[in-house]
C-alpha cells in the first residue's frame, strides 16, 4: 500500500525545488553579468568571482582529465535517489530536521548535477578571503549541501535515542 506524500518526508521536496531555483538563478545572474575569471568586490572579505569547476566541491579533483564529470554526476544521482528513499520511508513529522536537511542536499546536488550535464563543469562564484588567502570558490548549491550535512549531524546529537523496554 502506497503512502501519501504528506505522511512522508517527501512533503519537504518543495524545499529542494527552492534550493535548485536559487542555485540555478544565481548562476545565471553570474554568467550574464560577469566574465569568466572576473571578480566583483562586495565587502572587504567577500567577492563574487566567476569560475568554472570541473571537480567536486571546493575544486576537489578539478585538475584531472575529465572523467570526474561522469563520476561526480553518478555520485550525485546515487545520493539523490538514496535520500529520496530515506525521505519516503521516514515519518514526515517526526524526522522534520533530517528531511529538511535531505531536501537541501538534494536541491544542491541537482543544481551541481545540472551544471555538469549542461556545461561540463560547475559554475562557482562565492569567494571568501583574508588578505591574499582565498577559500576555494563555491556556489549556493555547495552551501546548501554543507548546511544540510551539518543539520544531519545536529539531528544525530539532538534526537533522543529510542529505548526499548525489555520484559524480564
Amino acid at each position: 500500500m502506497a503512502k501519501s506524500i504528506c505522511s512522508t518526508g517527501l512533503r519537504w521536496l518543495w524545499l529542494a525545488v527552492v534550493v535548485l531555483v536559487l542555485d540555478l538563478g544565481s548562476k545565471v545572474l553570474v554568467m550574464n553579468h560577469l566574465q569568466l575569471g572576473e571578480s566583483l568586490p562586495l565587502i572587504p572579505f567577500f567577492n563574487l568571482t566567476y569560475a568554472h569547476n570541473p571537480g567536486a566541491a571546493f575544486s576537489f579533483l578539478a585538475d584531472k582529465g575529465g572523467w570526474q564529470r561522469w563520476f561526480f554526476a553518478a555520485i550525485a544521482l546515487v545520493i539523490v535517489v538514496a535520500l529520496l528513499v530515506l525521505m519516503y520511508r521516514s515519518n514526515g513529522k517526526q524526522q522534520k530536521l533530517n528531511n529538511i536537511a535531505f531536501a537541501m542536499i538534494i536541491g544542491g546536488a541537482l543544481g551541481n548535477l545540472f551544471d555538469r550535464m549542461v556545461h561540463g563543469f560547475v559554475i562557482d562564484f562565492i569567494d571568501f578571503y583574508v588578505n591574499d588567502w582565498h577559500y576555494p570558490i563555491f556556489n549556493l548549491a555547495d552551501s546548501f549541501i554543507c548546511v544540510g550535512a551539518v543539520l544531519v549531524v545536529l539531528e544525530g546529537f539532538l534526537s533522543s535515542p529510542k529505548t526499548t523496554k525489555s520484559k524480564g
Side-chain angles (χ1 to χ4, degrees):
M1 179 185 225
K3 300 184 205 178
S4 80
I5 286 179
C6 291
S7 69
T8 71
L10 294 176
R11 67 190 297 177
W12 290 98
L13 282 181
W14 65 267
L15 182 57
V17 173
V18 169
V19 168
L20 181 61
V21 168
L22 288 172
D23 178 60
L24 295 179
S26 65
K27 291 171 180 175
V28 167
L29 284 172
V30 167
M31 289 187 299
N32 288 340
H33 296 287
L34 295 174
Q35 296 295 318
L36 183 61
E38 183 180 355
S39 190
L40 176 64
L42 296 180
I43 52 180
F45 56 88
F46 176 67
N47 296 333
L48 291 181
T49 302
Y50 181 18
H52 291 169
N53 176 7
F58 311 113
S59 299
F60 177 66
L61 295 178
D63 59 346
K64 301 303 175 201
W67 60 267
Q68 69 275 27
R69 172 186 182 187
W70 303 107
F71 177 71
F72 292 129
I75 288 174
L77 284 173
V78 167
I79 289 170
V80 166
V81 169
L83 292 177
L84 287 170
V85 168
L86 288 172
M87 290 175 80
Y88 178 75
R89 290 181 177 172
S90 74
N91 179 315
K93 293 178 183 175
Q94 292 176 345
Q95 297 174 328
K96 184 176 178 179
L97 191 58
N98 266 345
N99 288 313
I100 289 170
F102 294 162
M104 292 172 78
I105 295 168
I106 289 169
L110 290 176
N112 284 342
L113 176 63
F114 177 87
D115 280 358
R116 283 186 207 295
M117 295 297 91
V118 171
H119 307 294
F121 48 80
V122 174
I123 296 159
D124 288 335
F125 57 90
I126 300 172
D127 179 18
F128 283 105
Y129 64 93
V130 176
N131 296 325
D132 290 334
W133 179 84
H134 289 257
Y135 191 77
I137 299 171
F138 58 101
N139 59 41
L140 290 182
D142 298 331
S143 300
F144 281 110
I145 290 168
C146 289
V147 169
V150 167
L151 290 176
V152 169
V153 171
L154 281 175
E155 175 69 10
F157 285 115
L158 297 176
S159 65
S160 59
K162 292 182 177 159
T163 58
T164 57
K165 294 182 180 180
S166 62
K167 295 180 181 180

